Amino acid sequence: MKRILLVDDEKYVVESLCIYCLKNMHDDIEIDVAYSGYEVLDKLQIKNYDVVVSDINMPGMNGIELLKEIKQNWK
């Protein structure tokens, strides 16, 4: 099973991507969502993901900063 984490500060974007992925991808995927970079870091403490799809422009921690944190702490 592949795990995908979708991240955006706008709820409708995350929900739309989630619906699209569930309709158009294989059955062997698990999709989680997060609404901030900080929420992603919390989720990564609990679960591993194969793919993280993130918005770049988010308040607080933007997508580039999030990518740096992920690369630094999770291989």
Side-chain angles (χ1 to χ4, degrees):
M1 175 174 292
K2 299 292 183 192
R3 290 187 175 132
I4 300 172
L5 180 57
L6 304 174
V7 188
D8 197 305
D9 59 308
E10 298 184 41
K11 187 176 180 179
Y12 76 93
V13 173
V14 172
E15 289 176 354
S16 298
L17 284 171
C18 188
I19 290 168
Y20 177 83
C21 289
L22 290 172
K23 284 184 178 180
N24 295 291
M25 299 182 80
H26 301 289
D27 292 336
D28 62 339
I29 63 167
E30 177 183 325
I31 298 177
D32 283 336
V33 299
Y35 301 102
S36 73
Y38 299 109
E39 187 178 351
V40 170
L41 298 179
D42 289 342
K43 287 181 179 278
L44 286 170
Q45 296 290 335
I46 300 167
K47 192 185 291 187
N48 291 323
Y49 293 92
D50 299 296
V51 177
V52 176
V53 178
S54 176
D55 184 12
I56 290 178
N57 189 18
M58 296 185 292
M61 179 185 299
N62 68 39
I64 302 300
E65 295 166 332
L66 175 60
L67 174 62
K68 288 177 184 175
E69 283 288 323
I70 291 171
K71 286 176 71 173
Q72 199 170 47
N73 295 299
W74 291 274
K75 299 296 177 195

